PDB file of all heavy atoms in Angstrom:
ATOM      1  N   GLU A 393      54.051  18.261 -37.678  1.00  0.00           N
ATOM      2  CA  GLU A 393      54.019  16.821 -37.942  1.00  0.00           C
ATOM      3  C   GLU A 393      52.655  16.438 -38.485  1.00  0.00           C
ATOM      4  O   GLU A 393      51.645  17.027 -38.107  1.00  0.00           O
ATOM      5  CB  GLU A 393      54.298  16.034 -36.664  1.00  0.00           C
ATOM      6  CG  GLU A 393      55.749  16.012 -36.288  1.00  0.00           C
ATOM      7  CD  GLU A 393      55.989  15.468 -34.894  1.00  0.00           C
ATOM      8  OE1 GLU A 393      55.185  15.744 -34.003  1.00  0.00           O
ATOM      9  OE2 GLU A 393      57.014  14.789 -34.725  1.00  0.00           O
ATOM     10  N   THR A 394      52.651  15.425 -39.351  1.00  0.00           N
ATOM     11  CA  THR A 394      51.406  14.915 -39.908  1.00  0.00           C
ATOM     12  C   THR A 394      51.486  13.398 -39.973  1.00  0.00           C
ATOM     13  O   THR A 394      52.513  12.841 -40.356  1.00  0.00           O
ATOM     14  CB  THR A 394      51.157  15.500 -41.312  1.00  0.00           C
ATOM     15  OG1 THR A 394      51.035  16.924 -41.214  1.00  0.00           O
ATOM     16  CG2 THR A 394      49.898  14.927 -41.931  1.00  0.00           C
ATOM     17  N   THR A 395      50.383  12.743 -39.599  1.00  0.00           N
ATOM     18  CA  THR A 395      50.304  11.287 -39.595  1.00  0.00           C
ATOM     19  C   THR A 395      49.289  10.840 -40.630  1.00  0.00           C
ATOM     20  O   THR A 395      48.167  11.369 -40.670  1.00  0.00           O
ATOM     21  CB  THR A 395      49.896  10.770 -38.206  1.00  0.00           C
ATOM     22  OG1 THR A 395      50.828  11.266 -37.231  1.00  0.00           O
ATOM     23  CG2 THR A 395      49.890   9.253 -38.171  1.00  0.00           C
ATOM     24  N   ILE A 396      49.671   9.873 -41.460  1.00  0.00           N
ATOM     25  CA  ILE A 396      48.783   9.335 -42.492  1.00  0.00           C
ATOM     26  C   ILE A 396      48.547   7.864 -42.185  1.00  0.00           C
ATOM     27  O   ILE A 396      49.504   7.082 -42.087  1.00  0.00           O
ATOM     28  CB  ILE A 396      49.371   9.511 -43.908  1.00  0.00           C
ATOM     29  CG1 ILE A 396      49.670  10.996 -44.174  1.00  0.00           C
ATOM     30  CG2 ILE A 396      48.407   8.975 -44.964  1.00  0.00           C
ATOM     31  CD1 ILE A 396      51.072  11.429 -43.852  1.00  0.00           C
ATOM     32  N   ILE A 397      47.277   7.492 -42.003  1.00  0.00           N
ATOM     33  CA  ILE A 397      46.899   6.146 -41.572  1.00  0.00           C
ATOM     34  C   ILE A 397      45.903   5.555 -42.569  1.00  0.00           C
ATOM     35  O   ILE A 397      44.993   6.253 -43.038  1.00  0.00           O
ATOM     36  CB  ILE A 397      46.250   6.189 -40.167  1.00  0.00           C
ATOM     37  CG1 ILE A 397      47.223   6.766 -39.135  1.00  0.00           C
ATOM     38  CG2 ILE A 397      45.779   4.807 -39.736  1.00  0.00           C
ATOM     39  CD1 ILE A 397      46.593   7.002 -37.774  1.00  0.00           C
ATOM     40  N   ALA A 398      46.031   4.273 -42.861  1.00  0.00           N
ATOM     41  CA  ALA A 398      45.048   3.556 -43.675  1.00  0.00           C
ATOM     42  C   ALA A 398      43.828   3.240 -42.813  1.00  0.00           C
ATOM     43  O   ALA A 398      43.952   2.630 -41.740  1.00  0.00           O
ATOM     44  CB  ALA A 398      45.646   2.275 -44.231  1.00  0.00           C
ATOM     45  N   GLY A 399      42.645   3.655 -43.265  1.00  0.00           N
ATOM     46  CA  GLY A 399      41.439   3.463 -42.470  1.00  0.00           C
ATOM     47  C   GLY A 399      41.142   2.003 -42.170  1.00  0.00           C
ATOM     48  O   GLY A 399      40.720   1.667 -41.059  1.00  0.00           O
ATOM     49  N   ASP A 400      41.391   1.125 -43.140  1.00  0.00           N
ATOM     50  CA  ASP A 400      41.114  -0.296 -42.892  1.00  0.00           C
ATOM     51  C   ASP A 400      42.090  -0.888 -41.877  1.00  0.00           C
ATOM     52  O   ASP A 400      41.743  -1.783 -41.100  1.00  0.00           O
ATOM     53  CB  ASP A 400      41.118  -1.100 -44.188  1.00  0.00           C
ATOM     54  CG  ASP A 400      42.410  -0.939 -44.993  1.00  0.00           C
ATOM     55  OD1 ASP A 400      43.310  -0.187 -44.566  1.00  0.00           O
ATOM     56  OD2 ASP A 400      42.515  -1.590 -46.042  1.00  0.00           O
ATOM     57  N   ASP A 401      43.331  -0.380 -41.837  1.00  0.00           N
ATOM     58  CA  ASP A 401      44.303  -0.855 -40.855  1.00  0.00           C
ATOM     59  C   ASP A 401      43.910  -0.401 -39.447  1.00  0.00           C
ATOM     60  O   ASP A 401      44.046  -1.158 -38.471  1.00  0.00           O
ATOM     61  CB  ASP A 401      45.707  -0.349 -41.216  1.00  0.00           C
ATOM     62  CG  ASP A 401      46.798  -1.053 -40.427  1.00  0.00           C
ATOM     63  OD1 ASP A 401      46.600  -2.228 -40.049  1.00  0.00           O
ATOM     64  OD2 ASP A 401      47.857  -0.443 -40.193  1.00  0.00           O
ATOM     65  N   LEU A 402      43.433   0.840 -39.334  1.00  0.00           N
ATOM     66  CA  LEU A 402      42.951   1.319 -38.035  1.00  0.00           C
ATOM     67  C   LEU A 402      41.793   0.449 -37.544  1.00  0.00           C
ATOM     68  O   LEU A 402      41.760   0.036 -36.374  1.00  0.00           O
ATOM     69  CB  LEU A 402      42.511   2.774 -38.135  1.00  0.00           C
ATOM     70  CG  LEU A 402      41.871   3.356 -36.867  1.00  0.00           C
ATOM     71  CD1 LEU A 402      42.890   3.500 -35.750  1.00  0.00           C
ATOM     72  CD2 LEU A 402      41.222   4.719 -37.169  1.00  0.00           C
ATOM     73  N   GLN A 403      40.845   0.155 -38.445  1.00  0.00           N
ATOM     74  CA  GLN A 403      39.690  -0.650 -38.067  1.00  0.00           C
ATOM     75  C   GLN A 403      40.107  -2.066 -37.664  1.00  0.00           C
ATOM     76  O   GLN A 403      39.555  -2.642 -36.717  1.00  0.00           O
ATOM     77  CB  GLN A 403      38.702  -0.710 -39.238  1.00  0.00           C
ATOM     78  CG  GLN A 403      37.459  -1.547 -38.999  1.00  0.00           C
ATOM     79  CD  GLN A 403      36.543  -0.960 -37.944  1.00  0.00           C
ATOM     80  OE1 GLN A 403      36.636   0.229 -37.627  1.00  0.00           O
ATOM     81  NE2 GLN A 403      35.659  -1.781 -37.383  1.00  0.00           N
ATOM     82  N   LYS A 404      41.094  -2.610 -38.356  1.00  0.00           N
ATOM     83  CA  LYS A 404      41.558  -3.963 -38.055  1.00  0.00           C
ATOM     84  C   LYS A 404      42.205  -4.037 -36.670  1.00  0.00           C
ATOM     85  O   LYS A 404      41.955  -4.972 -35.901  1.00  0.00           O
ATOM     86  CB  LYS A 404      42.565  -4.408 -39.121  1.00  0.00           C
ATOM     87  CG  LYS A 404      43.146  -5.801 -38.913  1.00  0.00           C
ATOM     88  CD  LYS A 404      44.129  -6.130 -40.014  1.00  0.00           C
ATOM     89  CE  LYS A 404      44.785  -7.510 -39.774  1.00  0.00           C
ATOM     90  NZ  LYS A 404      45.748  -7.827 -40.857  1.00  0.00           N
ATOM     91  N   ARG A 405      43.014  -3.049 -36.347  1.00  0.00           N
ATOM     92  CA  ARG A 405      43.742  -3.087 -35.086  1.00  0.00           C
ATOM     93  C   ARG A 405      42.901  -2.601 -33.909  1.00  0.00           C
ATOM     94  O   ARG A 405      42.996  -3.134 -32.803  1.00  0.00           O
ATOM     95  CB  ARG A 405      44.996  -2.213 -35.180  1.00  0.00           C
ATOM     96  CG  ARG A 405      46.029  -2.733 -36.166  1.00  0.00           C
ATOM     97  CD  ARG A 405      47.383  -2.151 -35.792  1.00  0.00           C
ATOM     98  NE  ARG A 405      48.143  -1.730 -36.939  1.00  0.00           N
ATOM     99  CZ  ARG A 405      49.310  -1.105 -36.885  1.00  0.00           C
ATOM    100  NH1 ARG A 405      49.816  -0.785 -35.706  1.00  0.00           N
ATOM    101  NH2 ARG A 405      49.952  -0.747 -37.975  1.00  0.00           N
TER     102      ARG A 405
END
Side-chain angles (χ1 to χ4, degrees):
E393 283 169 323
T394 298
T395 304
I396 303 93
I397 300 173
D400 55 359
D401 193 29
L402 175 69
Q403 179 67 19
K404 179 180 177 180
R405 294 202 222 175

